[in-house]
Amino acid sequence: WDAQSGNVASLTATGDITFNGITNVQPGTYMLKIEQDATGGRTLTLGASCRKVGGDAITLTSAASACDILSIFYDGAYYYVAASLNFS
């Protein structure tokens, strides 16, 4: 998404997601809500500029219509991404 539209965004995953960054980003904190579509099972791949807790991949909740939220801190070089999973 484009950071000029705000620090919070949401999307419905209709296919697998690759996150490589945010357009027009400035250092700061961002939030991304990801909701699975009616099929579910969509995956998330983080690009090389992303750092994860423990270095592990983030596995989205796979159920249809499941909701996960990514908290993203950008320091000007890297995106530090943490996930809060399986909101219901």
Side-chain angles (χ1 to χ4, degrees):
W1 82 86
D2 189 324
Q4 290 182 341
S5 298
N7 289 22
V8 177
S10 63
L11 64 86
T12 299
T14 58
D16 293 337
I17 302 164
T18 299
F19 178 83
N20 287 310
I22 302 168
T23 303
N24 296 312
V25 69
Q26 297 295 319
T29 303
Y30 300 84
M31 303 290 287
L32 176 61
K33 175 186 169 194
I34 301 173
E35 188 169 352
Q36 295 277 357
D37 63 7
T39 301
R42 312 307 182 179
T43 63
L44 172 68
T45 301
L46 297 174
S49 64
C50 297
R51 302 293 184 254
K52 290 98 37 200
V53 176
D56 297 329
I58 294 173
T59 302
L60 299 175
T61 306
S62 62
S65 302
C67 177
D68 301 318
I69 296 178
L70 301 183
S71 301
I72 304 162
F73 175 77
Y74 181 66
D75 68 357
Y78 293 102
Y79 296 90
Y80 296 87
V81 183
S84 299
L85 303 173
N86 201 18
F87 283 87
S88 56

